[in-house]
């Protein structure tokens, strides 16, 4: 399973988002498209990395990102 990240927002009402981190988001999206997975957010460049999302079988959206910042999973 890929590494995950839970983001909590300090502004506004409490909410949580769970992201899966990818080492190569472009390649992963190619695999998803080949398998017919719905991409729900266009790939975008953020100051902290690349961001997109896919549709899960139950209908929920799962954000994915490729970080630009150092990660602990390679330690």
């Amino acid at each position: 399973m890929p590494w995950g990240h839970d983001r909590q927002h300090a502004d506004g009402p409490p909410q949580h988002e769970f992201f899966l981190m990818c080492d190569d988001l472009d390649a992963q999206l190619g695999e998803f498209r080949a398998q017919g997975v719905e991409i729900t957010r266009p790939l975008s460049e953020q100051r902290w990395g690349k961001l997109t999302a896919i549709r899960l079988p139950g209908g929920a959206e799962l954000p994915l990102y490729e970080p630009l910042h150092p990660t602990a999973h390679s330690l």
Side-chain angles (χ1 to χ4, degrees):
M1 182 168 143
W3 290 89
H5 175 73
D6 175 41
R7 180 176 74 163
Q8 299 178 16
H9 301 274
D11 55 340
Q15 97 182 40
H16 296 276
E17 285 186 275
F18 182 78
F19 292 73
L20 293 183
M21 290 191 289
C22 299
D23 292 330
D24 185 346
L25 197 50
D26 295 311
Q28 186 63 61
L29 287 176
E31 289 181 37
F32 283 147
R33 285 185 183 101
Q35 296 173 5
V37 175
E38 179 187 356
I39 311 301
T40 59
R41 293 185 202 176
L43 187 63
S44 65
E45 299 280 341
Q46 306 296 320
R47 61 182 172 82
W48 40 266
K50 294 180 181 180
L51 176 66
T52 190
I54 61 171
R55 178 83 54 213
L56 297 177
E61 185 179 77
L62 178 62
L64 307 170
Y65 84 102
E66 181 181 331
L68 293 175
H69 55 79
T71 59
H73 73 273
S74 61
L75 297 177

